[in-house]
Amino acid sequence: MTAKTIPWRFLFLMVLVGLNLRPALSSLAPVLNRVQQDTALTPLSIGALTTLPVLCLGLFAPAAPRLSRQFGPERALALSLVVIAVGLLLRWLASPWALFTGTFLVGAGIGVGGALLPALVKRELPHGADLMTGVYTMALCLGGALGAGLSIPLSDWLGGWPPGLAAWSLLAIVALVAWELGMPRTPATPHAPGQTGTGATRGILRQPLTWQIMVFMGAQSSLAYIVFGWLPTLLVKRGYDEAEAGWLMGLSVLIQLISALAAPWLARLGRDQRPALLLGLSFSTTGLCLLLLAGPFWKLPGVVMLGLGQGGSFSLALALIVLRSADSRLAGRLSGLAQGGGYALASLGPFSVGIMLQLDVGIPWITAALVAIATLAAACSWFAGRNRQLAFDEEGRLITR
């Protein structure tokens, strides 16, 4: 893939949209203590608030292929940005119902938008989709880092956490305007025999490879959303102050930029993606253990290892979707199913941590639970990382080749 073959306009718009798919999630975690104090929500309710967007990702990601066929992928993505902006603005009202409703909308918008983009990448960049997925993931990580790192300063500067959280709607509006002006429309896609419809969905679900990718996506995402939702709270319980805890999480997410871009290149060095996947998970696990169990001296090495591991793992999880799909239609289907089922599974992670905190379970036991999740992800990565692909044979039947 040469510089002349890269659609730079699409690449810019992809990055701008990607920047919006994490701040709504990562900006909430640093101010959870303030939210709890002002709204009198119980730890269990706060746990539900952190779990809700991840659950919505799982519920709404499978709707992305249908919305793409009905409205066209570009207009469907624009609709997801509208929903994200409205959800963020609702948080300004600061009441519990507004927080939960806004978070529901944010999760729905991110679920649809996040499922649509890998298929668009496969369509626009068919020969370098795995590498460009790394660029897209880097944009996600940058958005997450900005959300985490600027949450406390924005809240202090704007006079409270409600306008601080709502301020991220401006970024969504900018992305929406740029996407509407810069991306040409493709028509809605009619049903194509052997490639769309519920039959194709059932066929994909019959393939073990689909489930291997789905569970890997869910397990590694569970760790990521536990970090987004609870890492600052866990660090405060360890004795760090609120600002430092938010800064450490923001730095960890910022470091993800490096591995998000590098991991797909690293994965190309071997026959398949298994070594790169296992390396990323080992870094994530080690980083979490250092942050939650080791002394203050190890906080920066822990942050670095956690960032490198999680950025690489998520980038490779998205790259697997395009690498394991023979064309953009299959990539859209697999993206909706893998992200939908994966995020539904991932939602159990932050909710379980909320329950453990409600029951006053100690940090060592919480850490043990995180290690168990990482172990599940490693087991699935061994199978999902093999060099195999979903495709239609000459008779229109879905196979794994």
Side-chain angles (χ1 to χ4, degrees):
M1 185 171 56
T2 65
K4 291 183 179 180
T5 64
I6 298 176
W8 292 104
R9 179 172 60 178
F10 170 76
L11 193 61
F12 169 76
L13 293 172
M14 176 188 74
V15 169
L16 188 57
V17 171
L19 286 173
N20 282 275
L21 301 185
R22 287 300 177 268
L25 308 177
S26 62
S27 62
L28 181 61
V31 296
L32 275 180
N33 288 333
R34 301 184 185 187
V35 172
Q36 188 172 5
Q37 291 170 4
D38 291 349
T39 60
L41 290 173
T42 65
L44 190 59
S45 298
I46 291 292
L49 185 63
T50 61
T51 301
L52 181 60
V54 189
L55 181 60
C56 287
L57 296 183
L59 292 175
F60 287 93
R66 178 175 297 179
L67 291 172
S68 178
R69 294 195 304 273
Q70 186 171 356
F71 301 109
E74 295 83 7
R75 193 163 295 280
L77 189 58
L79 178 62
S80 73
L81 288 171
V82 171
V83 173
I84 291 171
V86 172
L88 287 167
L89 285 171
L90 270 178
R91 287 178 167 179
W92 201 331
L93 299 180
S95 64
W97 77 265
L99 274 174
F100 277 92
T101 303
T103 300
F104 175 86
L105 292 175
V106 161
I110 294 174
V112 171
L116 287 169
L117 271 176
L120 284 167
V121 172
K122 183 76 171 180
R123 188 192 72 185
E124 297 289 331
L125 301 154
H127 302 297
D130 56 335
L131 302 183
M132 290 302 105
T133 298
V135 176
Y136 157 57
T137 310
M138 186 178 66
L140 292 181
C141 297
L142 178 58
L146 292 174
L150 297 179
S151 183
I152 296 293
L154 273 177
S155 297
D156 294 341
W157 182 49
L158 296 175
W161 60 266
L165 294 179
W168 294 102
S169 63
L170 295 176
L171 183 60
I173 293 170
V174 169
L176 173 63
V177 172
W179 184 263
E180 284 289 295
L181 294 177
M183 198 66 188
R185 295 285 174 270
T186 57
T189 305
H191 287 272
Q195 293 191 4
T196 60
T198 57
T201 300
R202 289 194 298 269
I204 293 175
L205 286 174
R206 292 192 190 103
Q207 302 297 317
L209 181 59
T210 301
W211 291 92
Q212 293 155 8
I213 296 172
M214 183 189 300
V215 178
F216 172 73
M217 171 69 77
Q220 68 84 27
S221 294
S222 181
L223 292 175
Y225 288 110
I226 288 170
V227 169
F228 278 139
W230 288 114
L231 183 60
T233 301
L234 295 173
L235 292 177
V236 168
K237 287 179 70 68
R238 292 214 65 207
Y240 297 97
D241 63 51
E242 186 181 59
E244 185 179 15
W247 174 79
L248 286 172
M249 188 185 92
L251 179 59
S252 173
V253 180
L254 185 62
I255 291 171
Q256 291 181 19
L257 296 173
I258 302 170
S259 54
L261 187 60
W265 292 90
L266 177 64
R268 282 194 168 192
L269 298 178
R271 292 181 300 175
D272 55 39
Q273 289 73 47
R274 286 180 289 184
L277 289 166
L278 292 172
L279 181 64
L281 288 169
S282 65
F283 269 58
S284 297
T285 307
T286 303
L288 284 168
C289 289
L290 289 177
L291 283 171
L292 297 179
L293 298 178
F297 173 81
W298 294 100
K299 66 183 179 184
L300 288 181
V303 160
V304 171
M305 295 195 75
L306 177 62
L308 291 175
Q310 292 203 310
S313 295
F314 185 62
S315 181
L316 289 170
L318 292 179
L320 285 178
I321 293 173
V322 296
L323 288 172
R324 300 297 176 259
S325 307
D327 55 48
S328 63
R329 291 180 185 274
L330 270 175
R333 284 280 178 181
L334 182 58
S335 179
L337 291 172
Q339 294 195 58
Y343 287 135
L345 176 63
S347 68
L348 299 175
F351 186 67
S352 298
V353 172
I355 292 176
M356 286 188 281
L357 289 173
Q358 176 85 21
L359 298 175
D360 203 24
V361 172
I363 296 292
W365 286 105
I366 293 176
T367 307
L370 302 185
V371 172
I373 295 172
T375 303
L376 174 62
C380 291
S381 72
W382 184 255
F383 297 99
R386 293 175 297 172
N387 190 17
R388 307 182 72 186
Q389 193 175 64
L390 298 174
F392 289 101
D393 62 15
E394 295 179 354
E395 298 178 0
R397 296 174 301 186
L398 187 66
I399 59 172
T400 299
R401 63 187 185 190

